[in-house]
Amino acid sequence: MIPLCERDPRAMPFVMNGTSQAVLLLHGFTGTPAEMRPLGERISETFGWQVDAPLLPGHGTTIEDFSRHTYADWIGASDAEFQKLKNAFERVHLVGLSMGALLCLELARMHELATSSLVLLAPPIILIDPLERFVVSLFRIPFLSRLIPTLPRDPPLHPDQLTYNRHSTKALAEFGKARRRTLAMPTIRSIPSFLAFSAADQTVDPRSIAFLSRRLVHPLHRVVRLERSIHILTLGADRDQLFTEIEAFHRQISPPKLLQQT
């Protein structure tokens, strides 16, 4: 089977060169950097910062390849990108969508003093659908994921949401690991944080935002509620509002001398 990223180049990782500060953009579970590109372009155009959007292992290829990768692979690849940016730029900001938000939280826990800010979009800590919660938990049993390697899934809600047409049950179990690690996260006090969710999201329970707001306690902590967006907030109906709010947050937490543009 031809990998998704070869059939559609939008799924490939991208870098937008910049100076002074850098932003690591992490896409969601089964997603690709295509869903992060509109936000990356906005940050690059507004601030002139470096923007790095990697493709997580097993994503953008084939469902068989996806099934071979683990949470450890996803956080390991994310950490490698963070380390690269940390060594080259004065400040590094983290932006994650859905599971990418959970990976950003793990990176912040690992590198609290080196993380300049956190932007977490639709973090799926608590899932709305009881059946979805059950399925994610069920396939923690290895025998079941071998017996039922894939499940059907709904089609994408946006043409730039490049994903597989089925779920890997092994990958669902690994996604569950990311959620459980976040549920056990400690309080983070030193990193400014921005959380966004949508009232129209059928995946993320708003209690996820309340949970994180009790653990992200920097004085510059913001929560933004959108009304119409799909789960992929960066492609949703309210994305212009979202991008404006993120821009204002980055201006607020960045020293004026480090802002490329005003």
Side-chain angles (χ1 to χ4, degrees):
M1 181 180 294
I2 301 174
L4 174 59
C5 59
E6 293 184 17
R7 288 184 279 118
D8 193 329
R10 290 177 299 166
M12 294 291 288
F14 64 85
V15 173
M16 300 173 184
N17 292 327
T19 59
S20 178
Q21 305 193 50
V23 182
L24 178 59
L25 301 178
L26 296 180
H27 63 76
F29 180 70
T30 77
T32 72
E35 63 200 27
M36 305 304 288
R37 183 174 286 275
L39 177 56
E41 290 174 343
R42 177 69 172 263
I43 292 171
S44 177
E45 292 168 3
T46 301
F47 298 113
W49 296 347
Q50 178 92 1
V51 175
D52 187 347
L55 179 64
L56 296 172
H59 293 71
T61 54
T62 65
I63 194 70
E64 293 78 16
D65 180 45
F66 191 38
S67 298
R68 288 190 285 268
H69 287 279
T70 65
Y71 170 78
D73 296 329
W74 302 332
I75 192 61
S78 302
D79 187 43
E81 293 293 329
F82 182 89
Q83 297 280 4
K84 180 176 67 176
L85 294 174
K86 185 182 72 170
N87 292 334
F89 293 90
E90 192 169 349
R91 307 182 88 217
V92 180
H93 306 272
L94 297 176
V95 179
L97 170 66
S98 192
M99 188 186 75
L102 306 187
L103 296 175
C104 284
L105 282 165
E106 183 71 8
L107 290 177
R109 178 159 56 179
M110 295 163 62
H111 306 288
E112 185 168 352
L113 296 180
T115 301
S116 294
S117 73
L118 272 172
V119 172
L120 309 175
L121 310 176
I125 300 168
I126 303 171
L127 304 178
I128 288 178
D129 187 348
L131 178 60
E132 192 170 6
R133 294 198 301 268
F134 173 73
V135 168
V136 170
S137 298
L138 181 66
F139 286 101
R140 295 169 62 182
I141 305 171
F143 167 75
L144 288 177
S145 60
R146 290 194 296 270
L147 183 66
I148 308 172
T150 66
L151 292 172
R153 62 175 301 179
D154 294 333
L157 297 174
H158 190 282
D160 286 337
Q161 185 185 357
L162 307 180
T163 186
Y164 302 122
N165 58 12
R166 295 186 68 83
H167 268 307
S168 159
T169 55
K170 286 184 179 179
L172 282 171
E174 295 299 318
F175 167 64
K177 289 182 183 179
R179 291 177 56 240
R180 291 192 298 277
R181 285 191 65 83
T182 304
L183 285 169
M185 68 174 283
T187 298
I188 296 178
R189 301 182 182 279
S190 64
I191 305 175
S193 54
F194 176 103
L195 305 181
F197 72 104
S198 174
D201 188 345
Q202 296 301 305
T203 299
V204 175
D205 191 307
R207 289 179 294 170
S208 300
I209 305 304
F211 171 86
L212 287 175
S213 292
R214 292 192 296 270
R215 285 159 177 78
L216 299 172
V217 296
H218 191 280
L220 298 179
H221 171 72
R222 298 182 62 186
V223 175
V224 170
R225 170 184 164 128
L226 307 173
E227 298 300 329
R228 301 173 296 153
S229 286
I230 57 175
H231 177 61
I232 309 300
L233 302 187
T234 51
L235 303 177
D238 301 314
R239 76 178 189 181
D240 287 341
Q241 175 192 346
L242 174 66
F243 295 173
T244 298
E245 296 277 7
I246 293 172
E247 178 184 331
F249 170 72
H250 279 144
R251 289 189 184 281
Q252 183 182 22
I253 57 93
S254 295
K257 68 183 182 67
L258 293 180
L259 290 171
Q260 278 290 98
Q261 302 175 27
T262 58

